[in-house]
Amino acid sequence: AADIAESVTLSVDMAMKLGYERFVICKIEREGDDLRRFTALRRALAAKNVNSDHIQIAEGWSNANPSALIKQVVAGIERCGDHKTLVFACHDAIGAFLRDRLAKRGFAIGKEIGIIGFAGSDAKRGDGPKLTSIAVDPADIGRNAASILVSRINGELMESPGKHTVDVNVIFGETA
């Protein structure tokens, strides 16, 4: 959970430095990492004193009805008016999907409309520009997991189980 909060804070800080004024947050899942990321995004934007009127929520099940999600994202962007708007995709695959669909609808991706994904995957798939993403290093996660496993095998108790920090990085693309 700490890496989610750190990655979200990093993405919000970057968005503010890039001059984004309005935000659309995609909320796909109602549990797990997506829900934690959604909650952390709301908190991070509030900590930056972003007016709640400047935040739009696009909620939907990506696999069941992707057209419903794109309609909500477009409506959220339109409610933001002529302001520089950033879409926080819940995952790189959703970010790539939105990048391609929004570009087909005439939105200038990477200019007035930005998109940030989460996962750090190679999001160059599709015809659009490379996706900007927030990445957690899987090798770092593996090292942490191995360290925890060895400690437990050796009978060592952890002070705070479930709370481990891993490095978070921005993978700069062309969408934000």
mmCIF file of all heavy atoms in Angstrom, residues 104-156:
data_model
loop_
_atom_site.group_PDB
_atom_site.id
_atom_site.type_symbol
_atom_site.label_atom_id
_atom_site.label_comp_id
_atom_site.label_asym_id
_atom_site.label_seq_id
_atom_site.Cartn_x
_atom_site.Cartn_y
_atom_site.Cartn_z
ATOM 1 N N LYS A 104 -8.702 9.295 -31.531
ATOM 2 C CA LYS A 104 -9.640 9.083 -32.649
ATOM 3 C C LYS A 104 -10.815 10.047 -32.586
ATOM 4 O O LYS A 104 -11.424 10.360 -33.601
ATOM 5 C CB LYS A 104 -10.141 7.641 -32.663
ATOM 6 C CG LYS A 104 -9.103 6.660 -33.157
ATOM 7 C CD LYS A 104 -9.623 5.239 -33.182
ATOM 8 C CE LYS A 104 -8.505 4.313 -33.623
ATOM 9 N NZ LYS A 104 -8.902 2.908 -33.579
ATOM 10 N N ARG A 105 -11.117 10.523 -31.396
ATOM 11 C CA ARG A 105 -12.208 11.498 -31.226
ATOM 12 C C ARG A 105 -11.723 12.938 -31.377
ATOM 13 O O ARG A 105 -12.477 13.866 -31.144
ATOM 14 C CB ARG A 105 -12.877 11.302 -29.871
ATOM 15 C CG ARG A 105 -13.685 10.017 -29.795
ATOM 16 C CD ARG A 105 -14.220 9.806 -28.393
ATOM 17 N NE ARG A 105 -14.994 8.594 -28.335
ATOM 18 C CZ ARG A 105 -16.269 8.532 -28.009
ATOM 19 N NH1 ARG A 105 -16.921 9.631 -27.699
ATOM 20 N NH2 ARG A 105 -16.895 7.380 -27.964
ATOM 21 N N GLY A 106 -10.454 13.095 -31.720
ATOM 22 C CA GLY A 106 -9.932 14.427 -32.008
ATOM 23 C C GLY A 106 -9.255 15.150 -30.861
ATOM 24 O O GLY A 106 -8.870 16.312 -31.006
ATOM 25 N N PHE A 107 -9.072 14.499 -29.724
ATOM 26 C CA PHE A 107 -8.386 15.132 -28.605
ATOM 27 C C PHE A 107 -6.879 15.141 -28.859
ATOM 28 O O PHE A 107 -6.321 14.165 -29.359
ATOM 29 C CB PHE A 107 -8.690 14.407 -27.291
ATOM 30 C CG PHE A 107 -10.107 14.580 -26.828
ATOM 31 C CD1 PHE A 107 -11.056 13.600 -27.083
ATOM 32 C CD2 PHE A 107 -10.492 15.721 -26.144
ATOM 33 C CE1 PHE A 107 -12.365 13.757 -26.656
ATOM 34 C CE2 PHE A 107 -11.796 15.885 -25.715
ATOM 35 C CZ PHE A 107 -12.741 14.900 -25.974
ATOM 36 N N ALA A 108 -6.219 16.231 -28.510
ATOM 37 C CA ALA A 108 -4.770 16.378 -28.676
ATOM 38 C C ALA A 108 -4.077 15.774 -27.457
ATOM 39 O O ALA A 108 -3.843 16.461 -26.460
ATOM 40 C CB ALA A 108 -4.398 17.842 -28.853
ATOM 41 N N ILE A 109 -3.738 14.513 -27.540
ATOM 42 C CA ILE A 109 -3.132 13.804 -26.421
ATOM 43 C C ILE A 109 -1.693 14.289 -26.225
ATOM 44 O O ILE A 109 -0.918 14.361 -27.172
ATOM 45 C CB ILE A 109 -3.163 12.277 -26.645
ATOM 46 C CG1 ILE A 109 -4.591 11.796 -26.909
ATOM 47 C CG2 ILE A 109 -2.521 11.540 -25.464
ATOM 48 C CD1 ILE A 109 -5.582 12.107 -25.823
ATOM 49 N N GLY A 110 -1.370 14.598 -24.969
ATOM 50 C CA GLY A 110 -0.041 15.077 -24.641
ATOM 51 C C GLY A 110 0.062 16.591 -24.703
ATOM 52 O O GLY A 110 1.091 17.155 -24.360
ATOM 53 N N LYS A 111 -0.988 17.231 -25.135
ATOM 54 C CA LYS A 111 -0.991 18.699 -25.188
ATOM 55 C C LYS A 111 -1.989 19.219 -24.167
ATOM 56 O O LYS A 111 -1.644 19.464 -23.039
ATOM 57 C CB LYS A 111 -1.307 19.154 -26.602
ATOM 58 C CG LYS A 111 -0.198 18.773 -27.595
ATOM 59 C CD LYS A 111 -0.528 19.222 -28.986
ATOM 60 C CE LYS A 111 0.579 18.927 -29.964
ATOM 61 N NZ LYS A 111 0.918 17.565 -30.172
ATOM 62 N N GLU A 112 -3.236 19.388 -24.567
ATOM 63 C CA GLU A 112 -4.260 19.858 -23.626
ATOM 64 C C GLU A 112 -4.852 18.718 -22.802
ATOM 65 O O GLU A 112 -5.406 18.938 -21.741
ATOM 66 C CB GLU A 112 -5.366 20.624 -24.353
ATOM 67 C CG GLU A 112 -4.908 21.982 -24.855
ATOM 68 C CD GLU A 112 -4.367 22.868 -23.739
ATOM 69 O OE1 GLU A 112 -5.050 23.060 -22.720
ATOM 70 O OE2 GLU A 112 -3.233 23.365 -23.882
ATOM 71 N N ILE A 113 -4.767 17.509 -23.321
ATOM 72 C CA ILE A 113 -5.251 16.325 -22.598
ATOM 73 C C ILE A 113 -4.062 15.409 -22.361
ATOM 74 O O ILE A 113 -3.403 14.963 -23.300
ATOM 75 C CB ILE A 113 -6.330 15.558 -23.399
ATOM 76 C CG1 ILE A 113 -7.504 16.461 -23.762
ATOM 77 C CG2 ILE A 113 -6.777 14.306 -22.627
ATOM 78 C CD1 ILE A 113 -8.264 17.034 -22.582
ATOM 79 N N GLY A 114 -3.772 15.136 -21.094
ATOM 80 C CA GLY A 114 -2.694 14.226 -20.748
ATOM 81 C C GLY A 114 -3.258 12.934 -20.177
ATOM 82 O O GLY A 114 -4.394 12.897 -19.701
ATOM 83 N N ILE A 115 -2.470 11.890 -20.258
ATOM 84 C CA ILE A 115 -2.872 10.595 -19.696
ATOM 85 C C ILE A 115 -1.665 10.014 -18.967
ATOM 86 O O ILE A 115 -0.564 9.975 -19.511
ATOM 87 C CB ILE A 115 -3.336 9.608 -20.786
ATOM 88 C CG1 ILE A 115 -4.528 10.177 -21.559
ATOM 89 C CG2 ILE A 115 -3.681 8.247 -20.167
ATOM 90 C CD1 ILE A 115 -4.924 9.362 -22.773
ATOM 91 N N ILE A 116 -1.896 9.571 -17.739
ATOM 92 C CA ILE A 116 -0.865 8.863 -16.980
ATOM 93 C C ILE A 116 -1.416 7.490 -16.617
ATOM 94 O O ILE A 116 -2.527 7.369 -16.104
ATOM 95 C CB ILE A 116 -0.485 9.609 -15.688
ATOM 96 C CG1 ILE A 116 0.229 10.919 -16.019
ATOM 97 C CG2 ILE A 116 0.414 8.739 -14.807
ATOM 98 C CD1 ILE A 116 0.647 11.708 -14.795
ATOM 99 N N GLY A 117 -0.633 6.467 -16.911
ATOM 100 C CA GLY A 117 -0.988 5.109 -16.520
ATOM 101 C C GLY A 117 -0.234 4.716 -15.265
ATOM 102 O O GLY A 117 0.607 5.456 -14.753
ATOM 103 N N PHE A 118 -0.543 3.553 -14.774
ATOM 104 C CA PHE A 118 0.149 2.994 -13.612
ATOM 105 C C PHE A 118 0.516 1.555 -13.937
ATOM 106 O O PHE A 118 -0.330 0.793 -14.376
ATOM 107 C CB PHE A 118 -0.764 3.008 -12.377
ATOM 108 C CG PHE A 118 -1.042 4.392 -11.861
ATOM 109 C CD1 PHE A 118 -2.143 5.095 -12.305
ATOM 110 C CD2 PHE A 118 -0.196 4.992 -10.943
ATOM 111 C CE1 PHE A 118 -2.409 6.370 -11.842
ATOM 112 C CE2 PHE A 118 -0.449 6.268 -10.475
ATOM 113 C CZ PHE A 118 -1.560 6.958 -10.920
ATOM 114 N N ALA A 119 1.747 1.199 -13.763
ATOM 115 C CA ALA A 119 2.266 -0.159 -13.896
ATOM 116 C C ALA A 119 3.638 -0.156 -14.526
ATOM 117 O O ALA A 119 4.444 -1.029 -14.260
ATOM 118 C CB ALA A 119 1.345 -1.096 -14.672
ATOM 119 N N GLY A 120 3.919 0.812 -15.384
ATOM 120 C CA GLY A 120 5.238 0.877 -15.997
ATOM 121 C C GLY A 120 5.449 -0.125 -17.102
ATOM 122 O O GLY A 120 6.583 -0.412 -17.475
ATOM 123 N N SER A 121 4.372 -0.641 -17.661
ATOM 124 C CA SER A 121 4.525 -1.587 -18.763
ATOM 125 C C SER A 121 4.885 -0.822 -20.027
ATOM 126 O O SER A 121 4.749 0.392 -20.102
ATOM 127 C CB SER A 121 3.232 -2.370 -18.972
ATOM 128 O OG SER A 121 2.200 -1.509 -19.409
ATOM 129 N N ASP A 122 5.320 -1.522 -21.016
ATOM 130 C CA ASP A 122 5.625 -0.886 -22.295
ATOM 131 C C ASP A 122 4.301 -0.592 -22.973
ATOM 132 O O ASP A 122 3.669 -1.468 -23.547
ATOM 133 C CB ASP A 122 6.481 -1.807 -23.152
ATOM 134 C CG ASP A 122 6.795 -1.198 -24.506
ATOM 135 O OD1 ASP A 122 6.609 0.023 -24.673
ATOM 136 O OD2 ASP A 122 7.240 -1.945 -25.389
ATOM 137 N N ALA A 123 3.865 0.634 -22.867
ATOM 138 C CA ALA A 123 2.543 1.006 -23.358
ATOM 139 C C ALA A 123 2.610 1.659 -24.730
ATOM 140 O O ALA A 123 1.851 2.549 -25.045
ATOM 141 C CB ALA A 123 1.859 1.923 -22.361
ATOM 142 N N LYS A 124 3.495 1.212 -25.594
ATOM 143 C CA LYS A 124 3.598 1.768 -26.933
ATOM 144 C C LYS A 124 2.621 1.079 -27.882
ATOM 145 O O LYS A 124 2.452 1.495 -29.010
ATOM 146 C CB LYS A 124 5.044 1.637 -27.449
ATOM 147 C CG LYS A 124 5.278 2.220 -28.810
ATOM 148 C CD LYS A 124 4.867 3.699 -28.895
ATOM 149 C CE LYS A 124 5.007 4.221 -30.300
ATOM 150 N NZ LYS A 124 3.871 4.935 -30.794
ATOM 151 N N ARG A 125 1.953 0.051 -27.402
ATOM 152 C CA ARG A 125 1.013 -0.640 -28.283
ATOM 153 C C ARG A 125 -0.033 0.343 -28.812
ATOM 154 O O ARG A 125 -0.340 1.337 -28.174
ATOM 155 C CB ARG A 125 0.363 -1.805 -27.567
ATOM 156 C CG ARG A 125 -0.331 -1.393 -26.313
ATOM 157 C CD ARG A 125 -0.719 -2.568 -25.490
ATOM 158 N NE ARG A 125 -0.328 -2.154 -24.141
ATOM 159 C CZ ARG A 125 -0.534 -2.802 -23.068
ATOM 160 N NH1 ARG A 125 -1.111 -3.941 -23.103
ATOM 161 N NH2 ARG A 125 -0.159 -2.351 -21.907
ATOM 162 N N GLY A 126 -0.544 0.049 -29.971
ATOM 163 C CA GLY A 126 -1.495 0.955 -30.597
ATOM 164 C C GLY A 126 -0.767 1.970 -31.473
ATOM 165 O O GLY A 126 0.438 1.896 -31.674
ATOM 166 N N ASP A 127 -1.515 2.915 -31.982
ATOM 167 C CA ASP A 127 -0.960 3.878 -32.928
ATOM 168 C C ASP A 127 -0.464 5.155 -32.276
ATOM 169 O O ASP A 127 0.202 5.950 -32.912
ATOM 170 C CB ASP A 127 -2.030 4.256 -33.973
ATOM 171 C CG ASP A 127 -2.459 3.058 -34.791
ATOM 172 O OD1 ASP A 127 -1.616 2.170 -35.012
ATOM 173 O OD2 ASP A 127 -3.634 3.022 -35.204
ATOM 174 N N GLY A 128 -0.816 5.382 -31.041
ATOM 175 C CA GLY A 128 -0.544 6.668 -30.405
ATOM 176 C C GLY A 128 0.843 6.788 -29.824
ATOM 177 O O GLY A 128 1.672 5.888 -29.913
ATOM 178 N N PRO A 129 1.082 7.922 -29.197
ATOM 179 C CA PRO A 129 2.378 8.171 -28.553
ATOM 180 C C PRO A 129 2.582 7.260 -27.343
ATOM 181 O O PRO A 129 1.633 6.721 -26.791
ATOM 182 C CB PRO A 129 2.272 9.630 -28.123
ATOM 183 C CG PRO A 129 0.813 9.923 -28.045
ATOM 184 C CD PRO A 129 0.147 9.031 -29.038
ATOM 185 N N LYS A 130 3.833 7.126 -26.939
ATOM 186 C CA LYS A 130 4.161 6.286 -25.785
ATOM 187 C C LYS A 130 3.512 6.867 -24.527
ATOM 188 O O LYS A 130 3.580 8.059 -24.269
ATOM 189 C CB LYS A 130 5.667 6.190 -25.607
ATOM 190 C CG LYS A 130 6.053 5.241 -24.489
ATOM 191 C CD LYS A 130 7.547 5.064 -24.380
ATOM 192 C CE LYS A 130 7.812 4.105 -23.228
ATOM 193 N NZ LYS A 130 9.212 4.002 -22.915
ATOM 194 N N LEU A 131 2.910 6.001 -23.752
ATOM 195 C CA LEU A 131 2.202 6.386 -22.539
ATOM 196 C C LEU A 131 3.168 6.767 -21.422
ATOM 197 O O LEU A 131 4.153 6.077 -21.176
ATOM 198 C CB LEU A 131 1.326 5.216 -22.077
ATOM 199 C CG LEU A 131 0.402 5.465 -20.893
ATOM 200 C CD1 LEU A 131 -0.720 6.417 -21.294
ATOM 201 C CD2 LEU A 131 -0.184 4.150 -20.409
ATOM 202 N N THR A 132 2.885 7.866 -20.740
ATOM 203 C CA THR A 132 3.592 8.211 -19.512
ATOM 204 C C THR A 132 3.020 7.327 -18.412
ATOM 205 O O THR A 132 1.800 7.164 -18.317
ATOM 206 C CB THR A 132 3.386 9.702 -19.176
ATOM 207 O OG1 THR A 132 3.930 10.488 -20.239
ATOM 208 C CG2 THR A 132 4.062 10.069 -17.869
ATOM 209 N N SER A 133 3.889 6.746 -17.598
ATOM 210 C CA SER A 133 3.421 5.784 -16.600
ATOM 211 C C SER A 133 4.210 5.914 -15.307
ATOM 212 O O SER A 133 5.355 6.347 -15.289
ATOM 213 C CB SER A 133 3.576 4.364 -17.152
ATOM 214 O OG SER A 133 3.089 3.416 -16.238
ATOM 215 N N ILE A 134 3.567 5.526 -14.234
ATOM 216 C CA ILE A 134 4.210 5.441 -12.929
ATOM 217 C C ILE A 134 4.497 3.961 -12.688
ATOM 218 O O ILE A 134 3.600 3.129 -12.764
ATOM 219 C CB ILE A 134 3.289 5.994 -11.817
ATOM 220 C CG1 ILE A 134 2.841 7.422 -12.144
ATOM 221 C CG2 ILE A 134 3.976 5.910 -10.472
ATOM 222 C CD1 ILE A 134 3.948 8.430 -12.247
ATOM 223 N N ALA A 135 5.762 3.656 -12.419
ATOM 224 C CA ALA A 135 6.177 2.258 -12.334
ATOM 225 C C ALA A 135 6.736 1.910 -10.967
ATOM 226 O O ALA A 135 7.459 2.696 -10.361
ATOM 227 C CB ALA A 135 7.250 1.976 -13.383
ATOM 228 N N VAL A 136 6.388 0.743 -10.525
ATOM 229 C CA VAL A 136 6.993 0.138 -9.347
ATOM 230 C C VAL A 136 7.882 -0.974 -9.880
ATOM 231 O O VAL A 136 7.453 -1.797 -10.678
ATOM 232 C CB VAL A 136 5.915 -0.423 -8.392
ATOM 233 C CG1 VAL A 136 6.555 -1.119 -7.223
ATOM 234 C CG2 VAL A 136 4.998 0.683 -7.930
ATOM 235 N N ASP A 137 9.141 -0.995 -9.456
ATOM 236 C CA ASP A 137 10.113 -1.955 -9.961
ATOM 237 C C ASP A 137 9.777 -3.369 -9.474
ATOM 238 O O ASP A 137 9.845 -3.642 -8.268
ATOM 239 C CB ASP A 137 11.506 -1.539 -9.490
ATOM 240 C CG ASP A 137 12.611 -2.452 -9.990
ATOM 241 O OD1 ASP A 137 12.340 -3.298 -10.862
ATOM 242 O OD2 ASP A 137 13.746 -2.306 -9.510
ATOM 243 N N PRO A 138 9.438 -4.282 -10.397
ATOM 244 C CA PRO A 138 9.098 -5.647 -9.976
ATOM 245 C C PRO A 138 10.268 -6.364 -9.301
ATOM 246 O O PRO A 138 10.062 -7.180 -8.406
ATOM 247 C CB PRO A 138 8.681 -6.357 -11.259
ATOM 248 C CG PRO A 138 8.948 -5.431 -12.378
ATOM 249 C CD PRO A 138 9.293 -4.088 -11.830
ATOM 250 N N ALA A 139 11.499 -6.045 -9.698
ATOM 251 C CA ALA A 139 12.661 -6.673 -9.046
ATOM 252 C C ALA A 139 12.746 -6.231 -7.585
ATOM 253 O O ALA A 139 13.097 -7.021 -6.706
ATOM 254 C CB ALA A 139 13.945 -6.317 -9.788
ATOM 255 N N ASP A 140 12.397 -4.969 -7.331
ATOM 256 C CA ASP A 140 12.399 -4.453 -5.958
ATOM 257 C C ASP A 140 11.324 -5.166 -5.132
ATOM 258 O O ASP A 140 11.555 -5.537 -3.980
ATOM 259 C CB ASP A 140 12.147 -2.941 -5.978
ATOM 260 C CG ASP A 140 12.601 -2.241 -4.713
ATOM 261 O OD1 ASP A 140 13.343 -2.844 -3.912
ATOM 262 O OD2 ASP A 140 12.214 -1.073 -4.530
ATOM 263 N N ILE A 141 10.172 -5.384 -5.719
ATOM 264 C CA ILE A 141 9.109 -6.131 -5.041
ATOM 265 C C ILE A 141 9.593 -7.553 -4.735
ATOM 266 O O ILE A 141 9.402 -8.064 -3.631
ATOM 267 C CB ILE A 141 7.823 -6.166 -5.886
ATOM 268 C CG1 ILE A 141 7.246 -4.750 -5.995
ATOM 269 C CG2 ILE A 141 6.796 -7.135 -5.295
ATOM 270 C CD1 ILE A 141 6.088 -4.639 -6.975
ATOM 271 N N GLY A 142 10.256 -8.176 -5.714
ATOM 272 C CA GLY A 142 10.777 -9.536 -5.522
ATOM 273 C C GLY A 142 11.814 -9.613 -4.410
ATOM 274 O O GLY A 142 11.801 -10.534 -3.594
ATOM 275 N N ARG A 143 12.706 -8.614 -4.377
ATOM 276 C CA ARG A 143 13.715 -8.585 -3.311
ATOM 277 C C ARG A 143 13.059 -8.438 -1.938
ATOM 278 O O ARG A 143 13.441 -9.111 -0.976
ATOM 279 C CB ARG A 143 14.716 -7.456 -3.552
ATOM 280 C CG ARG A 143 15.747 -7.759 -4.631
ATOM 281 C CD ARG A 143 16.828 -6.685 -4.708
ATOM 282 N NE ARG A 143 16.314 -5.416 -5.167
ATOM 283 C CZ ARG A 143 16.156 -5.075 -6.449
ATOM 284 N NH1 ARG A 143 16.480 -5.949 -7.399
ATOM 285 N NH2 ARG A 143 15.689 -3.896 -6.786
ATOM 286 N N ASN A 144 12.077 -7.578 -1.842
ATOM 287 C CA ASN A 144 11.357 -7.405 -0.576
ATOM 288 C C ASN A 144 10.666 -8.703 -0.171
ATOM 289 O O ASN A 144 10.712 -9.113 0.985
ATOM 290 C CB ASN A 144 10.321 -6.284 -0.685
ATOM 291 C CG ASN A 144 10.876 -4.940 -0.292
ATOM 292 O OD1 ASN A 144 11.481 -4.806 0.757
ATOM 293 N ND2 ASN A 144 10.661 -3.951 -1.135
ATOM 294 N N ALA A 145 10.000 -9.337 -1.128
ATOM 295 C CA ALA A 145 9.280 -10.581 -0.834
ATOM 296 C C ALA A 145 10.252 -11.677 -0.389
ATOM 297 O O ALA A 145 9.985 -12.412 0.573
ATOM 298 C CB ALA A 145 8.491 -11.034 -2.050
ATOM 299 N N ALA A 146 11.393 -11.776 -1.078
ATOM 300 C CA ALA A 146 12.385 -12.791 -0.715
ATOM 301 C C ALA A 146 12.942 -12.528 0.683
ATOM 302 O O ALA A 146 13.116 -13.457 1.484
ATOM 303 C CB ALA A 146 13.517 -12.806 -1.739
ATOM 304 N N SER A 147 13.194 -11.273 0.996
ATOM 305 C CA SER A 147 13.705 -10.912 2.322
ATOM 306 C C SER A 147 12.702 -11.279 3.417
ATOM 307 O O SER A 147 13.082 -11.812 4.470
ATOM 308 C CB SER A 147 14.012 -9.414 2.355
ATOM 309 O OG SER A 147 14.388 -9.018 3.637
ATOM 310 N N ILE A 148 11.436 -11.011 3.162
ATOM 311 C CA ILE A 148 10.383 -11.352 4.131
ATOM 312 C C ILE A 148 10.314 -12.865 4.321
ATOM 313 O O ILE A 148 10.237 -13.362 5.452
ATOM 314 C CB ILE A 148 9.027 -10.792 3.663
ATOM 315 C CG1 ILE A 148 9.049 -9.263 3.714
ATOM 316 C CG2 ILE A 148 7.883 -11.358 4.503
ATOM 317 C CD1 ILE A 148 7.899 -8.613 2.955
ATOM 318 N N LEU A 149 10.372 -13.596 3.213
ATOM 319 C CA LEU A 149 10.297 -15.055 3.272
ATOM 320 C C LEU A 149 11.475 -15.634 4.064
ATOM 321 O O LEU A 149 11.286 -16.481 4.946
ATOM 322 C CB LEU A 149 10.263 -15.635 1.859
ATOM 323 C CG LEU A 149 10.165 -17.151 1.746
ATOM 324 C CD1 LEU A 149 8.883 -17.646 2.417
ATOM 325 C CD2 LEU A 149 10.205 -17.574 0.296
ATOM 326 N N VAL A 150 12.667 -15.172 3.779
ATOM 327 C CA VAL A 150 13.851 -15.655 4.504
ATOM 328 C C VAL A 150 13.736 -15.338 5.997
ATOM 329 O O VAL A 150 14.029 -16.186 6.851
ATOM 330 C CB VAL A 150 15.152 -15.058 3.900
ATOM 331 C CG1 VAL A 150 16.352 -15.320 4.791
ATOM 332 C CG2 VAL A 150 15.380 -15.611 2.503
ATOM 333 N N SER A 151 13.280 -14.134 6.311
ATOM 334 C CA SER A 151 13.112 -13.754 7.722
ATOM 335 C C SER A 151 12.119 -14.668 8.415
ATOM 336 O O SER A 151 12.347 -15.100 9.549
ATOM 337 C CB SER A 151 12.624 -12.312 7.833
ATOM 338 O OG SER A 151 13.608 -11.424 7.373
ATOM 339 N N ARG A 152 11.040 -14.969 7.751
ATOM 340 C CA ARG A 152 10.024 -15.843 8.366
ATOM 341 C C ARG A 152 10.513 -17.276 8.498
ATOM 342 O O ARG A 152 10.221 -17.943 9.484
ATOM 343 C CB ARG A 152 8.722 -15.755 7.585
ATOM 344 C CG ARG A 152 8.081 -14.397 7.784
ATOM 345 C CD ARG A 152 6.696 -14.308 7.286
ATOM 346 N NE ARG A 152 6.173 -12.970 7.574
ATOM 347 C CZ ARG A 152 5.152 -12.444 6.987
ATOM 348 N NH1 ARG A 152 4.498 -13.127 6.080
ATOM 349 N NH2 ARG A 152 4.745 -11.236 7.304
ATOM 350 N N ILE A 153 11.259 -17.735 7.504
ATOM 351 C CA ILE A 153 11.835 -19.090 7.579
ATOM 352 C C ILE A 153 12.790 -19.173 8.768
ATOM 353 O O ILE A 153 12.840 -20.182 9.475
ATOM 354 C CB ILE A 153 12.553 -19.458 6.261
ATOM 355 C CG1 ILE A 153 11.511 -19.690 5.156
ATOM 356 C CG2 ILE A 153 13.455 -20.674 6.441
ATOM 357 C CD1 ILE A 153 12.100 -19.840 3.767
ATOM 358 N N ASN A 154 13.516 -18.087 9.007
ATOM 359 C CA ASN A 154 14.460 -18.050 10.130
ATOM 360 C C ASN A 154 13.784 -17.752 11.460
ATOM 361 O O ASN A 154 14.456 -17.583 12.475
ATOM 362 C CB ASN A 154 15.553 -17.011 9.859
ATOM 363 C CG ASN A 154 16.468 -17.436 8.736
ATOM 364 O OD1 ASN A 154 16.641 -18.619 8.472
ATOM 365 N ND2 ASN A 154 17.048 -16.467 8.051
ATOM 366 N N GLY A 155 12.453 -17.655 11.461
ATOM 367 C CA GLY A 155 11.717 -17.442 12.693
ATOM 368 C C GLY A 155 11.677 -16.010 13.179
ATOM 369 O O GLY A 155 11.267 -15.748 14.307
ATOM 370 N N GLU A 156 12.100 -15.083 12.357
ATOM 371 C CA GLU A 156 12.083 -13.672 12.750
ATOM 372 C C GLU A 156 10.688 -13.094 12.513
ATOM 373 O O GLU A 156 10.054 -13.360 11.503
ATOM 374 C CB GLU A 156 13.107 -12.874 11.932
ATOM 375 C CG GLU A 156 14.529 -13.349 12.128
ATOM 376 C CD GLU A 156 15.483 -12.728 11.119
ATOM 377 O OE1 GLU A 156 15.138 -11.690 10.526
ATOM 378 O OE2 GLU A 156 16.561 -13.302 10.926
#
